[in-house]
Amino acid sequence: MRRAICPGSFDPCTNGHLDVFSRAAEMADEVIVAVLINKTKSSLFTVAERIEMLQEVVAPLPNVKIDSFHGLLVDYCRERQAQVIVKGLRAVSDFDYELQMAQMNYRLSRLETVFISTNPLYGYLSSSLVKEIATYGGDVAGLVPDLVLERLLEKISGTIRA
Ligand code: PNS
């Protein structure tokens, strides 16, 4: 079985991520979307909230599963017996860092990384921009799944009230 891992923070998941998951699901028998547990990085959504949203969003993709991990990605891939890492590549600005990680992961564990060229519709999209725009009242409908939009607006109104 060819198992692929799509790792990331997904804080929150965008339509760009979803596009990558569904295209990875065409290439692999099983895709695991793995949320990094990073206690040093502040996030808007908890890991549990991100996992719950991802589970609902990928429900129509039967071979896509959601999980979380901490530590090195290569160790997690070995644990899950995954042969490949799949990442989306939006623009040249992503390339240096992604190439560095891909080369390091290959050096550490002979693990291949496959890059999916982001759908141009989502080339400018990032979780950080979505959060920033939503925080200042901008419209992010169509950039994130409807469920994520709902949770994002709830979270932001809760944060502002708190
Ligand atoms: O969505 P992000 O934050 O860009 O995802 C980055 C991620 C999770 C892919 C990367 O930070 C990662 O793999 N972290 C796990 C720790 C690790 O293996 N670091 C060495 C990478 S060469």
Side-chain angles (χ1 to χ4, degrees):
M1 180 199 265
R2 183 150 293 276
R3 184 174 286 132
I5 305 284
C6 289
S9 305
F10 309 116
D11 183 40
C13 155
T14 68
N15 284 342
H17 293 132
L18 192 53
D19 179 59
V20 171
F21 305 156
S22 61
R23 288 161 66 192
E26 299 281 324
M27 300 192 303
D29 299 309
E30 184 177 274
V31 174
I32 301 177
V33 175
V35 181
L36 175 68
I37 302 170
N38 186 350
K39 296 208 166 85
T40 62
K41 193 172 160 187
S42 67
S43 57
L44 182 62
F45 291 96
T46 65
V47 170
E49 288 169 334
R50 283 178 262 162
I51 288 178
E52 198 210 322
M53 285 187 280
L54 282 163
Q55 276 165 341
E56 292 208 30
V57 159
V58 303
L61 304 169
N63 62 335
V64 179
K65 310 269 178 294
I66 309 298
D67 194 13
S68 59
F69 76 106
H70 55 84
L72 285 181
L73 178 59
V74 289
D75 290 337
Y76 175 73
C77 290
R78 194 179 306 118
E79 213 176 278
R80 300 308 301 255
Q81 298 180 314
Q83 299 85 1
V84 65
I85 298 166
V86 176
K87 307 282 301 275
L89 207 52
R90 286 169 298 195
V92 175
S93 49
D94 282 343
F95 186 74
D96 283 349
Y97 184 51
E98 292 296 342
L99 181 68
Q100 186 185 20
M101 283 199 287
Q103 289 173 329
M104 182 58 89
N105 284 328
Y106 186 80
R107 164 77 175 72
L108 289 171
S109 203
R110 295 287 179 267
L111 201 63
E112 295 291 357
T113 300
V114 167
F115 293 109
I116 288 183
S117 56
T118 297
N119 183 326
L121 281 176
Y122 306 124
Y124 55 87
L125 191 50
S126 72
S127 299
S128 320
L129 263 188
V130 163
K131 284 183 284 192
E132 185 177 329
I133 291 161
T135 302
Y136 293 115
D139 182 13
V140 293
L143 302 180
V144 292
D146 289 347
L147 166 92
V148 173
L149 180 63
E150 211 175 282
R151 301 282 161 82
L152 186 58
L153 297 180
E154 276 167 21
K155 177 71 85 173
I156 286 168
S157 66
T159 313
I160 291 168
R161 263 188 265 114

